[in-house]
Amino acid sequence: MTAKQAKEVLIVVLKKNKFNLRKSGVFIENLVDDKGKPYHPGHFEFSLGYSDPKAGAIEYWGMYSVSAFTGDVWETHTCENFSFPELQRIQGEIMARTKRTFASERVARRGFGCTD
């Protein structure tokens, strides 16, 4: 999965959770190291926030990780893992292509500081 595809999976989750992504100033930023690579191989990380042009301030709403192998999505600060039918369908398609399972995500989740 590419970073663009991972962002599309994340957008499905954010819309389900009632984030208004069309509001002026809302942004989703792909977080990468100084070489343009993800910080955790196989996982794309994004920050979600709002830049208020009137206040000159940025409010961060969350940090998210999307697995390139399963489409598993979680908020990395709260360790909330997302699951609902539309996302499960997308994840099933991803796992059919990659031949990976959610069980393979346990170690990666611990790398983010989240446990099962």
Side-chain angles (χ1 to χ4, degrees), residues 65-80:
S65 175
V66 180
S67 168
F69 305 114
T70 63
D72 197 19
V73 180
W74 62 88
E75 204 292 339
T76 58
H77 288 165
T78 64
C79 294
E80 180 180 1

Side-chain angles (χ1 to χ4, degrees), residues 9-49:
V9 171
L10 176 59
I11 287 171
V12 170
V13 170
L14 297 174
K15 286 181 177 180
K16 175 74 172 174
N17 284 278
K18 309 290 188 216
F19 282 100
N20 181 2
L21 302 178
R22 293 180 184 238
K23 181 178 181 178
S24 180
V26 172
F27 63 87
I28 300 171
E29 180 181 6
N30 184 9
L31 303 174
V32 294
D33 66 17
D34 57 359
K35 296 177 183 171
K37 302 286 184 189
Y39 287 104
H40 296 91
H43 294 85
F44 297 99
E45 295 174 78
F46 301 93
S47 64
L48 171 68

